[in-house]
Amino acid sequence: MSAAVGLQRRPVVPNAVLGMALFLFTEVMLFAGLLSAYLVLRGRAPVWPPLGQPRLPVLVTLANTGVLLASGWAVRAAREKFDAQDVPKAARALRLALALGGLFVLVQGAEWAALVAHGLTATLSPYGSTFVVLVGGHALHVVVAVAALAWGARELSRGELRRSGLTALSMYWAFVVALWPVLYALVYLW
């Protein structure tokens, strides 16, 4: 009998982390395509935004961007506390990230409702459709990420979240957090 019998090979990268990395690669490609379409449409428009379109709430969204960035730091703190084997503090940091992420969604939702009430819709113009697809697509990703944070916080509090699960969760959260300043700069400021 060989010495290798009974030994199991451990993957170099945990499956959850590899799966998330592949998923995020596709998401980066998706948003790169959407941003490219936005830039082409914007480059061809004689005036952007078109006259008569509602103005975007730049300052409120800037403050809300700070909320989302702070949630990213909270997730990072959760990973650091988890690695230091301080699970209660890691769980608190993850719950803080969840609360900040939820606040971001609520503020964006209120902004969205106000913009729709002022006539900014996907069917109105290329400006409206690109806004809805880019910002709405990001919002959908944040809602999914907030749900994932809720799951992760619950599992961490129970002591049932593995490091690879927390890593995959933090990768996804880092993606939605890092994507937003790019969208904010291109759609709201530029």
Side-chain angles (χ1 to χ4, degrees):
M1 192 180 254
S2 76
V5 173
L7 293 179
Q8 290 183 340
R9 291 183 57 189
R10 295 183 62 146
V12 175
V13 177
N15 292 339
V17 174
L18 179 61
M20 183 57 69
L22 292 172
F23 173 71
L24 290 178
F25 176 76
T26 64
E27 294 301 289
V28 167
M29 294 291 96
L30 170 69
F31 277 97
L34 293 173
L35 283 169
S36 296
Y38 170 78
L39 293 171
V40 167
L41 287 171
R42 183 179 177 152
R44 290 185 175 179
V47 176
W48 195 271
L51 299 174
Q53 298 294 302
R55 304 314 283 165
L56 300 178
V58 174
L59 294 178
V60 171
T61 307
L62 176 63
N64 206 28
T65 299
V67 168
L68 190 62
L69 293 173
S71 74
W73 286 109
V75 169
R76 181 180 175 156
R79 284 189 62 196
E80 289 172 359
K81 297 300 180 190
F82 186 85
D83 288 344
Q85 298 181 356
D86 191 346
V87 174
K89 285 185 180 177
R92 278 194 299 275
L94 209 53
R95 286 192 301 272
L96 174 61
L98 173 62
L100 292 169
L103 177 60
F104 177 84
V105 170
L106 290 175
V107 171
Q108 287 298 104
E111 283 183 23
W112 191 286
L115 289 168
V116 168
H118 286 96
L120 184 63
T121 63
T123 58
L124 185 63
S125 67
Y127 175 72
S129 62
T130 56
F131 178 84
V132 168
V133 169
L134 283 172
V135 176
H138 181 264
L140 177 62
H141 282 77
V142 175
V143 167
V144 169
V146 165
L149 284 175
W151 169 84
R154 187 192 75 212
E155 294 299 300
L156 187 56
S157 295
R158 292 178 175 177
E160 297 178 6
L161 187 64
R162 293 182 181 173
R163 185 178 200 289
S164 61
L166 182 57
T167 300
L169 176 61
S170 66
M171 289 169 65
Y172 186 65
W173 192 252
F175 167 74
V176 297
V177 169
L179 176 61
W180 180 249
V182 173
L183 294 176
Y184 175 71
L186 288 175
V187 175
Y188 285 77
L189 299 178
W190 183 50

Short mmCIF file of all heavy atoms in Angstrom, two decimals, residues 18-32 171 175:
data_model
loop_
_atom_site.label_atom_id
_atom_site.label_comp_id
_atom_site.label_asym_id
_atom_site.label_seq_id
_atom_site.Cartn_x
_atom_site.Cartn_y
_atom_site.Cartn_z
N LEU A 18 -12.73 30.39 -5.72
CA LEU A 18 -12.55 30.24 -7.16
C LEU A 18 -13.85 30.52 -7.91
O LEU A 18 -13.86 31.25 -8.91
CB LEU A 18 -12.04 28.84 -7.51
CG LEU A 18 -11.83 28.56 -9.00
CD1 LEU A 18 -10.79 29.50 -9.59
CD2 LEU A 18 -11.42 27.10 -9.19
N GLY A 19 -14.95 29.99 -7.40
CA GLY A 19 -16.24 30.24 -8.03
C GLY A 19 -16.60 31.71 -8.03
O GLY A 19 -17.08 32.25 -9.03
N MET A 20 -16.34 32.38 -6.92
CA MET A 20 -16.63 33.81 -6.84
C MET A 20 -15.73 34.60 -7.78
O MET A 20 -16.18 35.55 -8.43
CB MET A 20 -16.48 34.32 -5.41
CG MET A 20 -16.85 35.78 -5.24
SD MET A 20 -18.53 36.21 -5.77
CE MET A 20 -19.50 35.39 -4.51
N ALA A 21 -14.46 34.22 -7.87
CA ALA A 21 -13.55 34.92 -8.78
C ALA A 21 -14.02 34.79 -10.23
O ALA A 21 -14.02 35.78 -10.98
CB ALA A 21 -12.13 34.37 -8.64
N LEU A 22 -14.46 33.61 -10.62
CA LEU A 22 -14.97 33.42 -11.99
C LEU A 22 -16.26 34.21 -12.21
O LEU A 22 -16.44 34.84 -13.26
CB LEU A 22 -15.20 31.93 -12.26
CG LEU A 22 -13.93 31.09 -12.34
CD1 LEU A 22 -14.29 29.61 -12.42
CD2 LEU A 22 -13.06 31.51 -13.51
N PHE A 23 -17.14 34.19 -11.23
CA PHE A 23 -18.38 34.96 -11.33
C PHE A 23 -18.08 36.46 -11.45
O PHE A 23 -18.65 37.14 -12.29
CB PHE A 23 -19.27 34.69 -10.11
CG PHE A 23 -20.48 35.56 -10.05
CD1 PHE A 23 -21.53 35.39 -10.94
CD2 PHE A 23 -20.57 36.58 -9.10
CE1 PHE A 23 -22.65 36.21 -10.89
CE2 PHE A 23 -21.68 37.40 -9.04
CZ PHE A 23 -22.72 37.21 -9.94
N LEU A 24 -17.17 36.95 -10.63
CA LEU A 24 -16.85 38.38 -10.66
C LEU A 24 -16.19 38.77 -11.98
O LEU A 24 -16.39 39.88 -12.47
CB LEU A 24 -15.96 38.75 -9.48
CG LEU A 24 -16.67 38.71 -8.13
CD1 LEU A 24 -15.70 39.05 -7.01
CD2 LEU A 24 -17.89 39.62 -8.10
N PHE A 25 -15.43 37.86 -12.58
CA PHE A 25 -14.86 38.13 -13.89
C PHE A 25 -15.98 38.40 -14.89
O PHE A 25 -15.91 39.35 -15.68
CB PHE A 25 -13.98 36.97 -14.36
CG PHE A 25 -13.44 37.16 -15.74
CD1 PHE A 25 -12.40 38.02 -15.99
CD2 PHE A 25 -14.00 36.46 -16.81
CE1 PHE A 25 -11.91 38.21 -17.28
CE2 PHE A 25 -13.53 36.64 -18.09
CZ PHE A 25 -12.48 37.52 -18.34
N THR A 26 -17.02 37.59 -14.86
CA THR A 26 -18.14 37.80 -15.79
C THR A 26 -18.87 39.10 -15.48
O THR A 26 -19.31 39.80 -16.39
CB THR A 26 -19.14 36.63 -15.76
OG1 THR A 26 -19.76 36.55 -14.47
CG2 THR A 26 -18.47 35.31 -16.09
N GLU A 27 -18.97 39.45 -14.21
CA GLU A 27 -19.64 40.70 -13.83
C GLU A 27 -18.83 41.92 -14.26
O GLU A 27 -19.40 42.92 -14.69
CB GLU A 27 -19.89 40.73 -12.32
CG GLU A 27 -20.87 39.69 -11.85
CD GLU A 27 -22.22 39.83 -12.51
OE1 GLU A 27 -22.94 40.80 -12.20
OE2 GLU A 27 -22.57 38.97 -13.34
N VAL A 28 -17.52 41.83 -14.16
CA VAL A 28 -16.67 42.92 -14.64
C VAL A 28 -16.87 43.09 -16.14
O VAL A 28 -16.99 44.22 -16.65
CB VAL A 28 -15.19 42.66 -14.29
CG1 VAL A 28 -14.27 43.60 -15.05
CG2 VAL A 28 -14.97 42.80 -12.79
N MET A 29 -16.93 42.00 -16.87
CA MET A 29 -17.15 42.07 -18.32
C MET A 29 -18.52 42.66 -18.64
O MET A 29 -18.66 43.47 -19.56
CB MET A 29 -17.01 40.68 -18.97
CG MET A 29 -15.62 40.10 -18.90
SD MET A 29 -14.44 40.99 -19.94
CE MET A 29 -13.69 42.10 -18.79
N LEU A 30 -19.53 42.27 -17.88
CA LEU A 30 -20.87 42.82 -18.07
C LEU A 30 -20.86 44.33 -17.91
O LEU A 30 -21.35 45.06 -18.78
CB LEU A 30 -21.86 42.19 -17.08
CG LEU A 30 -23.25 42.84 -17.03
CD1 LEU A 30 -24.01 42.58 -18.31
CD2 LEU A 30 -24.02 42.34 -15.82
N PHE A 31 -20.32 44.81 -16.80
CA PHE A 31 -20.33 46.25 -16.56
C PHE A 31 -19.38 46.99 -17.50
O PHE A 31 -19.64 48.14 -17.84
CB PHE A 31 -20.05 46.56 -15.09
CG PHE A 31 -21.29 46.45 -14.25
CD1 PHE A 31 -21.57 45.30 -13.53
CD2 PHE A 31 -22.19 47.50 -14.19
CE1 PHE A 31 -22.72 45.19 -12.77
CE2 PHE A 31 -23.35 47.41 -13.43
CZ PHE A 31 -23.61 46.25 -12.72
N ALA A 32 -18.31 46.35 -17.94
CA ALA A 32 -17.44 46.99 -18.94
C ALA A 32 -18.22 47.20 -20.24
O ALA A 32 -18.12 48.27 -20.87
CB ALA A 32 -16.20 46.13 -19.19
N MET A 171 -15.32 39.25 -1.26
CA MET A 171 -14.95 39.53 -2.66
C MET A 171 -16.13 40.16 -3.40
O MET A 171 -15.97 41.14 -4.14
CB MET A 171 -14.52 38.24 -3.38
CG MET A 171 -13.18 37.69 -2.94
SD MET A 171 -12.88 36.01 -3.57
CE MET A 171 -12.81 36.31 -5.34
N PHE A 175 -16.50 44.03 -4.80
CA PHE A 175 -16.85 44.34 -6.19
C PHE A 175 -17.92 45.42 -6.26
O PHE A 175 -17.77 46.41 -6.97
CB PHE A 175 -17.31 43.07 -6.92
CG PHE A 175 -17.98 43.34 -8.23
CD1 PHE A 175 -17.23 43.73 -9.34
CD2 PHE A 175 -19.35 43.23 -8.37
CE1 PHE A 175 -17.84 44.01 -10.56
CE2 PHE A 175 -19.97 43.49 -9.58
CZ PHE A 175 -19.22 43.88 -10.68
#
